[in-house]
Amino acid sequence: MKGENTAVQVYLLRHGVAEEGRVGASDADRALTQDGRRKLRLVLKAASEAGVQPAMILTSPFKRAVQTAEMARKALGYKNEILRTKALIPSSTVDQVWEEIRVHRDEESLMLVGHNPLFDHLAAYLLGRQEVQIDFKKGAILRIDLENFAAQPKGILRWYLTAKLASNRQ
């Protein structure tokens, strides 16, 4: 088994609290709220202090996810382009995301920015335990290490941080 240093670190970052949907408006155009930004800053500050430095950030093209990815870029000192992928939209499947991760498996660490219900299922899938139920909060970040890229993942959960936990650190 490879050591932790050779594992790919995958960070799942769910977008922050966003505006409510409006009749006639596209779900893809919902923006982060001020409260969502505030809570996200707390989580990203804690992630930065923990040494999170993604080699690549991939995001859903939905506005609230792109805004979250941009906040992560700033807070974590990320200098590269943020890649937008439809694999991270809310209606995507865990298999589509797994294929996207496998494309980038040569990176040391990946940050994926997206939505529920996808992330609830994706976290369990990446752990190799689809029956596990995870309550993935808005603005939360979770780290899973992957040591191989077989047809079915079997990662190791390293940590999970919510805005409520980050605010308790202050």
Side-chain angles (χ1 to χ4, degrees):
M1 190 162 142
K2 295 179 183 180
E4 183 182 13
N5 292 339
T6 59
V8 174
Q9 298 170 0
V10 177
Y11 299 98
L12 303 182
L13 175 60
R14 185 174 172 205
H15 69 78
V17 177
E19 302 167 328
E20 292 296 323
R22 294 185 308 270
V23 175
S26 171
D27 179 53
D29 293 332
R30 292 173 41 219
L32 294 177
T33 64
Q34 285 303 105
D35 188 52
R37 289 177 180 279
R38 180 187 62 77
K39 289 177 178 176
L40 199 50
R41 274 192 289 276
L42 292 171
V43 168
L44 291 169
K45 181 176 188 254
S48 176
E49 290 170 356
V52 173
Q53 293 184 308
M56 180 178 282
I57 297 177
L58 297 97
T59 186
S60 156
F62 284 28
K63 185 174 187 174
R64 59 195 178 273
V66 171
Q67 290 175 323
T68 298
E70 289 292 346
M71 289 181 68
R73 174 204 307 251
K74 183 178 178 185
L76 303 175
Y78 180 75
K79 305 287 186 222
N80 299 318
E81 182 181 348
I82 295 172
L83 303 178
R84 297 179 189 201
T85 175
K86 289 182 180 178
L88 293 171
I89 65 173
S91 60
S92 189
T93 68
V94 293
D95 293 315
Q96 290 170 306
V97 180
W98 179 234
E99 287 308 311
E100 185 77 38
I101 290 170
R102 290 172 78 185
V103 166
H104 302 289
R105 68 175 150 232
D106 292 335
E107 298 293 342
E108 186 177 315
S109 59
L110 300 172
M111 177 170 281
L112 310 180
V113 183
H115 314 265
N116 268 350
L118 179 61
F119 273 21
D120 279 344
H121 303 296
L122 180 61
Y125 179 82
L126 293 177
L127 293 170
R129 295 285 179 219
Q130 293 185 52
E131 70 278 5
V132 170
Q133 294 184 9
I134 297 175
D135 182 16
F136 211 120
K137 300 290 188 190
K138 290 177 183 164
I141 186 171
L142 180 142
R143 176 179 156 192
I144 295 173
D145 290 358
L146 298 167
E147 294 186 354
N148 67 65
F149 294 87
Q152 298 293 313
K154 190 171 184 180
I156 300 166
L157 176 64
R158 293 294 178 192
W159 49 261
Y160 173 59
L161 179 64
T162 65
K164 185 172 184 175
L165 288 172
S167 68
N168 288 340
R169 297 176 58 249
Q170 300 298 322

